[in-house]
């Protein structure tokens, strides 16, 4: 179980960083700093990819026939992963919207 816990914590940490970067991107775009917004989107995507890759480790284990026990920690990690993905999509759209409003 320690392996699954470690993966869950890696997911939570990575996607939490991603979500924060996406929020920073929206804030930067609202302030008209589109260069910083784009940089934050990029940082968010990189952090999200790390969390997604950690999640893929669990999927690979399952595909190989290993039992991956769902518990509250892993459920939380999955929830945070999905939340960060939604924030990323919205951040990209907000940055695009702020750019068009700034023209």
């Amino acid at each position: 179980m320690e392996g699954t816990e470690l993966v869950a914590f890696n997911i939570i940490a990575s996607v939490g960083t991603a979500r924060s970067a996406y929020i920073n991107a929206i804030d930067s775009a609202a302030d008209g700093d589109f260069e910083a917004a784009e940089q934050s989107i990029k940082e968010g995507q990189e952090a999200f990819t790390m969390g997604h890759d950690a999640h893929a480790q669990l999927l690979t284990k399952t595909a190989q026939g290993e039992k991956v026990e769902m518990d509250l920690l892993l459920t939380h990690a999955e929830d945070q992963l999905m939340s960060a993905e939604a924030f990323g999509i919205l951040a990209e759209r907000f940055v695009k919207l702020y750019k068009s409003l700034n023209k």
Side-chain angles (χ1 to χ4, degrees), residues 26 33 41 51 74 77:
I26 294 169
D33 189 348
I41 292 281
L74 189 52

Side-chain angles (χ1 to χ4, degrees):
M1 185 64 172
E2 285 181 10
T4 303
E5 288 175 348
L6 181 59
V7 173
F9 281 121
N10 285 336
I11 293 169
I12 293 165
S14 297
V15 301
T17 298
R19 188 174 48 244
S20 294
Y22 294 143
I23 292 169
N24 288 340
I26 294 169
D27 290 342
S28 293
D31 292 339
D33 189 348
F34 300 111
E35 186 175 320
E38 294 296 338
Q39 181 60 34
S40 290
I41 292 281
K42 182 180 176 196
E43 290 170 7
Q45 290 169 336
E46 290 169 359
F48 181 82
T49 297
M50 290 173 55
H52 190 270
D53 289 348
H55 185 257
Q57 291 174 10
L58 297 177
L59 294 174
T60 300
K61 285 182 178 187
T62 300
Q64 293 172 341
E66 287 186 49
K67 178 107 170 107
V68 175
E69 185 178 328
M70 277 303 287
D71 61 7
L72 185 58
L73 181 62
L74 189 52
T75 301
H76 178 64
E78 298 244 337
D79 178 58
Q80 295 302 302
L81 180 76
M82 292 184 304
S83 172
E85 183 176 26
F87 268 85
I89 292 165
L90 292 172
E92 288 176 356
R93 292 186 183 196
F94 270 106
V95 170
K96 184 178 178 181
L97 175 64
Y98 280 119
K99 281 182 179 179
S100 69
L101 291 173
N102 196 45
K103 288 182 181 181

